[in-house]
Amino acid sequence: MTLVRSNDPERRRAALADPVARYERMYEIRRFEDRVNDLFARGAIHGTTHLCAGQEALDVSLALELRPTDTVSATYRGHGIALALGMTVHSVLAEIMGKADGCTGGVGGSMHLSDPDVGLLPTFAIVGAGLPVAAGAALAYQTRGEDHVAVCVFGDGAANIGAFHEALNLAAVWKLPVVFVCDNNVYAEYSRIDLTTPLSDLHRRAGSYDIPGVPVDGMDVTATRAVLAEAVARARAGEGPTLVEAKTYRFAGHSRADQATYRPAGELERWRERDPLTLARAELLAAGAASEDDLTALEKAVGEDLDAVADAVAALPDPEPAAMFRNVWAAA
């Protein structure tokens, strides 16, 4: 039985300690994004969506190395991070489909997922907006003497905005317990990194703030986990921030309206040769952690469970119009 239908975020998070469960979650994220793409094409999802297919290794690695009491700020491409941290498939899909059962009551949609119980701050639609928020969360932890870590996941395009430099500078000066994770997926919306940025190795910018800058193959869940583990441990020990650059690739376009026709011929195919699911699957088979039959059955079960959740969510009621005015003011 898979954890796709589980309504227990704590159980979903704890399951990642098992390598087969880690692969299951990565596969769940991939198939979830496929289902979102299909629902959008059928008109069942309003607005837009930004899919993370190809970036599952980073999502799961991050969830593995953080505690639920830590916090994560992420971008609008945040479905995978939400699921990896333990949010239920039901709550995430319901939010994306604008249903009252969604994690923010169906009024946030695809770009504004959140669940404080798993440490996910509301995801941001504004490029780089999570950088100062993560620094602020880390400052709060430091001020209160709490043993927590803040993480900001942002794209390569955000490394060129002012908030990136301000957040890293402040975090370095005050040795804040924060990890900055650049999900370098080659494209900032529709622009390739070599057209907007004078260097392709963005971790080198850490040197300007005298903090560690570490690159990692973001398609490899084992390698990514090891780098994040060190960065998180360093922050938790009071040694200050780290800039981690995960070299990834988004298999889909920027958003559902983008067919990514600007990609050079053969680029997508080359990156698909290092598909994080393919690498993780091969690692499990090589280690004898699972057989081919085991993984095939698991994949089939995940697909079936996703179908069941999607059907259930589609039948849920929409929020009342008045819901958009809730949570505007804090309770006295």
Side-chain angles (χ1 to χ4, degrees):
M1 182 178 178
T2 76
L3 289 177
V4 172
R5 300 198 212 189
S6 172
N7 289 317
D8 185 347
E10 185 176 347
R11 182 183 174 210
R12 280 173 54 81
R13 182 73 162 267
L16 297 180
D18 175 66
V20 176
R22 291 198 286 274
Y23 175 74
E24 177 189 317
R25 189 66 49 82
M26 291 171 67
Y27 189 82
E28 172 193 292
I29 294 168
R30 178 69 59 84
R31 297 285 80 86
F32 180 91
E33 295 292 64
D34 289 344
R35 176 48 66 99
V36 167
N37 190 40
D38 177 63
L39 289 168
F40 181 85
R42 287 161 40 196
I45 293 174
H46 302 293
T48 189
T49 57
H50 304 80
L51 307 183
C52 69
Q55 300 167 223
E56 298 87 353
L58 174 59
D59 300 337
V60 170
S61 296
L62 190 64
L64 273 163
E65 297 308 322
L66 293 177
R67 303 169 183 169
T69 50
D70 297 327
T71 52
V72 178
S73 69
T75 74
Y76 46 75
R77 203 177 306 281
H79 305 167
I81 290 176
L83 294 171
L85 289 174
M87 288 179 65
T88 68
V89 174
H90 179 99
S91 69
V92 175
L93 187 58
E95 187 59 40
I96 294 170
M97 294 183 71
K99 300 297 184 179
D101 267 15
C103 59
T104 59
V107 298
S110 171
M111 293 193 283
H112 301 293
L113 305 174
S114 180
D115 186 345
D117 290 338
V118 302
L120 183 64
L121 298 173
T123 54
F124 291 93
I126 298 173
V127 172
L131 287 154
V133 171
L139 176 59
Y141 298 151
Q142 185 186 73
T143 301
R144 296 196 295 249
E146 295 172 335
D147 185 26
H148 306 324
V149 172
V151 173
C152 177
V153 181
F154 59 97
D156 43 287
N160 289 331
I161 70 170
F164 169 84
H165 302 282
E166 293 167 356
L168 267 69
N169 187 72
L170 184 73
V173 170
W174 289 347
K175 291 190 179 299
L176 299 180
V178 58
V179 179
F180 298 104
V181 181
C182 179
D183 186 355
N184 186 350
N185 63 16
V186 184
Y187 289 92
E189 296 191 353
Y190 316 104
S191 302
R192 205 172 191 281
I193 188 171
D194 58 342
L195 301 176
T196 62
T197 310
L199 73 168
S200 58
D201 293 325
L202 296 175
H203 65 276
R204 290 167 50 198
R205 288 187 168 171
S208 298
Y209 310 102
D210 196 28
I211 63 174
V214 186
V216 66
D217 178 1
M219 311 297 270
D220 184 329
V221 67
T222 301
T224 303
R225 182 187 182 188
V227 167
L228 289 174
E230 184 174 347
V232 170
R234 184 174 182 276
R236 209 179 297 280
E239 297 174 13
T242 300
L243 173 60
V244 175
E245 180 188 7
K247 304 277 192 175
T248 66
Y249 193 81
R250 56 170 167 81
F251 291 162
H254 166 63
S255 65
R256 292 302 75 233
D258 175 24
Q259 299 304 307
T261 56
Y262 44 77
R263 288 200 269 224
E267 180 181 83
L268 175 60
E269 291 72 21
R270 287 192 298 273
W271 277 95
R272 281 194 180 279
E273 292 174 0
R274 292 192 50 71
D275 186 320
L277 269 66
T278 302
L279 297 180
R281 201 178 197 279
E283 188 174 325
L284 287 175
L285 293 173
S291 68
E292 180 69 40
D293 289 345
D294 291 336
L295 296 181
T296 298
L298 177 65
E299 292 160 357
K300 182 175 183 292
V302 167
E304 291 172 348
D305 285 350
L306 276 171
D307 288 343
V309 172
D311 289 344
V313 168
L316 292 172
D318 296 336
E320 295 293 328
M324 71 178 78
F325 300 108
R326 298 187 191 119
N327 304 313
V328 174
W329 306 104

